[in-house]
Amino acid sequence: MRTWLRDGRWISLVACVALVVAFAAPTAWQCVASPDGHRVCSWVLDRTPSTDDWRSFAGAWEAARISLRDFHQWPSWNPYHCGGVPLYQDPQTPVPGVMFLLTFGWLPTPVAMKLWLYVHLLVGALGARALLRHHGANIPEQVFGAALVTACGFCSEHFGGGHLSFTPFLFLPWALLGHRRALADARWSVLTAAVLAMAVWEGGTYPVPLLIVALAADTILRLGDPAARRAFAVTLPLTGGLFALLAGVRLLPVLLWLREHPRLMPLDDSMTVAEVVLAWTARAHERPFPGHIFVWPEYGDYIGAIPVALFVAAVVAAFARRDDGARDRRVDVGVAIALVWCALGNIPGFSLFGLLHELPVYRSLRVPSRFLYPATVLLALVAGRALADLRALLLDHRPRRALLRAFVALECALALGVAIDLVAVNSPRLQVGADPPIPGGRASAAFHQEGGGDYWRWPTYPVRGIGTPVCYVAFDWTPAPQLWQGEGPQQRVEPADGGTARSLAWTPNALRIEVDLARPATLVINQNTDSGWNTSLGTIDRAQGLLRVDLPAGRHTVTLTHAVRGLWAGALLTLLGMLASAWVLRRALPGRVDGWRSALSGRLFVPDSLNPAPPEPSPSPIGPPPPAA
């Protein structure tokens, strides 16, 4: 503890916390200008912003919350949206995200969602701090990078717009840190695999594939180094295998769903390098973006002119230098350039995004400008390391102590100025308007479809027991046109003179209905059908839009239940992944891993003498990095 206090690490930690608090403050206390010019402030922590994406995620959160808390069911089916739609297998649903599981039972949905946002912002800031510290950055350089990663315009535009599934983008610094430290100690592969798996659990539909691209670019650009190739022979299989296992509880059900309902997106957008620079430097912009099919918030990523200028200077310096660290700096620059290239989209000539779009998962991605956030993380790393290199250069020439102190003071002013600028420009966009609070209390056990309601009320529907045919989801899903609206029976028999049906019990995932049929007939439920529905009697007709069950004549009690396909198999994979991760952390010591590499080299008939000597053993995968100069 004394060492931690003495070396000043607490300063950067406190600075990261203060940065997050300042940046996220408008989501709790919002101040807006009134028509008479006065500034009016109000408490909005318990109110979601007034965007359709916030409402969509709040409604999904509410549906999952009441399924678990009020009906004691796993959130498999969402009857309150789109006439009924899968909930857990929706790739963007925040279940089983850790923050959801920790908060759904005791916090109102808007408060819990904002706490989710605060925690992810802090994780991103601390990740940038750790990554830059690993590369020799001092405290102001770490804070400078944390400000760019956490308070950039991408975070304010997308998080303020309601893209809760984009918050796992903030895991990238940790994923990159684990990936790079695994070159010396394979146990760090567990960190990379774990953060990628957590992004899957949290519904990170864009973060996961884009983070993988960043890690893949970092890997490819290091293959020229024999030591890196030697390390990757073990770390890449470890990272990939552990990720697939740890993510299994969510990944397997989602992949089964996407195979049944593929989401194939067109290549229909592109940017120029000048527009990327504009996205990074424009403090304000009209909502439309002429020449593009999306609005400005899909492209905006304000970080300011000074960080961009530092990045450009660092790119030039990286290719001009010829010292021992030049290769590593060029890798950072190369990864940043590759990510910007992806953000350009379907450009004339060779499109890197177009190449990615041929891969199975990437065919579902539509907006290439979302690569700007990973590119921003690499920009922060490149610019932060450039400051550290300049400081090291001053140390090499043994300047007067006063000159070195002046440079560090300049770095402090730079970090503080960038942080203040980003908070002032970007943070107001985190809370756009404020919807009325979502009512609390237990959810209604009654249910009916109601058409024509205002969409802003949709997050209140789960508690009120109301479904809507209005659909706002990120995959192809069409509500059945036969849905009927209004209170009254939500089941019927076809033909009408075939018998009667009476509801005995209703929950989101299970229906119990008593039928009395004079002859074989069809029980029709006022919800969409889905492959996850099962019946205790008869046969489900899955070709129809509504949930229909063909039944024999007689008096029966029919139970219909919805289950997540692949859930138990995925849960087993995740359990195996946890056990495997514990084994790797305990057993994959550097010396032992070197023996595995030697054995692998022998099996592949590669003389071990061709490989360089292994790195010195590291005592712990989570030990402190080398001290900064």
Side-chain angles (χ1 to χ4, degrees), residues 431-450:
Q431 181 78 27
V432 183
D435 280 352
I438 299 175
R442 292 187 60 84
S444 171
F447 175 81
H448 69 275
Q449 299 284 352
E450 182 177 290

Side-chain angles (χ1 to χ4, degrees), residues 270-280 340-341 343-344 347 372:
S270 64
M271 297 180 72
T272 65
V273 174
E275 287 175 331
V276 170
V277 175
L278 179 65
W280 276 337
V340 171
W341 192 358
L344 298 181
I347 56 176
L372 283 179

Side-chain angles (χ1 to χ4, degrees), residues 55 99 209 212 219 378 473 491 618:
R55 292 159 181 162
M99 287 303 300
I212 290 175
T219 300
L378 267 297
V473 292
Q491 66 284 324
S618 173

